[in-house]
């Protein structure tokens, strides 16, 4: 079935899908990332911390982590099991696209 994943308050910039499970990670102009169970449409975690648009992300599904970057000039590593930031690097003068 087709599912509509509702939660972001601004347009979605990208998505990464774990084809071996039912998970997907989305990132958005609303400065958040969201981890989804696409089988039931549930949002498992809202990853908050960026203060600017999230431009992109890379996901390591096996290790349960994701790296995101955005217009706030930061890099953030996320634990996808807990939904918490593991670390962040701040210092770029401009956004990371």
């Amino acid at each position: 079935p087709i599912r509509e994943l509702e939660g972001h308050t601004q347009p979605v910039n990208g998505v990464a899908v774990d084809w071996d499970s039912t998970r997907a990670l989305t990132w958005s102009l609303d400065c958040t990332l969201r981890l989804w169970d696409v089988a039931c449409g549930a949002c498992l975690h809202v990853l908050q911390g960026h203060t600017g648009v999230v431009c992109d992300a890379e996901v390591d599904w096996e290790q349960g982590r994701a790296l995101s970057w955005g217009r706030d000039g930061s890099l953030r590593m996320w634990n996808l099991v807990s939904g918490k930031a593991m670390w962040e690097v701040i210092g770029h003068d401009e956004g990371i696209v």
Side-chain angles (χ1 to χ4, degrees):
I2 296 174
R3 297 223 186 273
E4 186 172 329
L5 304 176
E6 296 183 11
H8 285 292
T9 59
Q10 296 290 320
V12 172
N13 276 349
V15 61
V17 177
D18 181 358
W19 297 106
D20 293 327
S21 76
T22 61
R23 295 176 299 169
L25 184 70
T26 57
W27 49 94
S28 168
L29 297 177
D30 68 7
C31 307
T32 69
L33 298 90
R34 290 178 183 262
L35 182 65
W36 303 92
D37 181 333
V38 294
C40 65
C43 180
L44 303 174
H45 295 296
V46 178
L47 310 179
Q48 297 178 306
H50 283 284
T51 58
V53 171
V54 181
C55 295
D56 209 346
E58 288 289 329
V59 183
D60 182 342
W61 294 108
E62 288 183 14
Q63 296 296 317
R65 60 188 176 198
L67 179 68
S68 62
W69 54 93
R71 295 277 182 195
D72 62 359
S74 73
L75 294 167
R76 295 174 190 272
M77 180 68 74
W78 303 95
N79 179 316
L80 297 180
V81 175
S82 69
K84 304 292 183 194
M86 298 167 62
W87 52 260
E88 63 183 296
V89 175
I90 299 173
H92 289 274
D93 293 332
E94 296 184 20
I96 304 169
V97 294

